[in-house]
């Protein structure tokens, strides 16, 4: 997971959803300092991967989010998401 500035986004949460938007899995832990997190998925399945990071400032609360579709066709699939500010 990358932040809007192009650097790794630590402390982001990750979810897997069905193509229809139903949550299938949610991370109990957050991305590491490299913006990485291993996610369990079934071979041959199609998911939407959603990542979020919440930033809290003195006078603001900012939600960064990214969503991407992925088909699991190999033992290990890498997905890179770039977080963007949400309204």
């Amino acid at each position: 997971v990358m932040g809007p500035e192009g650097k790794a986004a630590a402390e982001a949460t990750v979810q897997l959803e069905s193509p229809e938007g139903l949550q299938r899995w949610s991370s109990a832990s957050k991305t590491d300092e490299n913006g990485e997190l291993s996610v369990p998925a079934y071979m041959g399945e199609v998911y939407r991967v959603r990542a979020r990071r919440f930033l809290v400032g003195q006078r603001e609360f900012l939600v960064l989010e990214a969503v991407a579709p992925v088909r699991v066709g190999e033992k290990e699939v890498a997905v890179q998401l770039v977080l963007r500010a949400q309204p």
Side-chain angles (χ1 to χ4, degrees):
V1 178
M2 307 290 283
E5 69 286 340
K7 297 179 182 175
E11 301 295 313
T13 60
V14 177
Q15 292 178 301
L16 290 183
E17 301 173 350
S18 69
E20 297 78 31
L22 299 172
Q23 185 176 319
R24 304 280 301 274
W25 180 85
S26 182
S27 62
S29 56
K30 297 181 180 182
T31 55
D32 64 16
E33 65 276 355
N34 297 316
E36 297 177 356
L37 180 72
S38 293
V39 174
Y42 292 104
M43 189 78 94
E45 289 290 317
V46 176
Y47 299 97
R48 284 194 314 190
V49 180
R50 181 181 303 273
R52 287 189 183 109
R53 186 167 181 223
F54 302 95
L55 302 176
V56 180
Q58 287 186 323
R59 296 179 184 221
E60 68 179 359
F61 180 79
L62 183 62
V63 177
L64 302 175
E65 184 176 59
V67 180
V70 63
R71 174 180 287 281
V72 181
E74 298 177 21
K75 185 175 180 181
E76 291 190 24
V77 176
V79 177
Q80 186 175 55
L81 300 175
V82 178
L83 299 171
R84 302 281 183 229
Q86 300 301 304

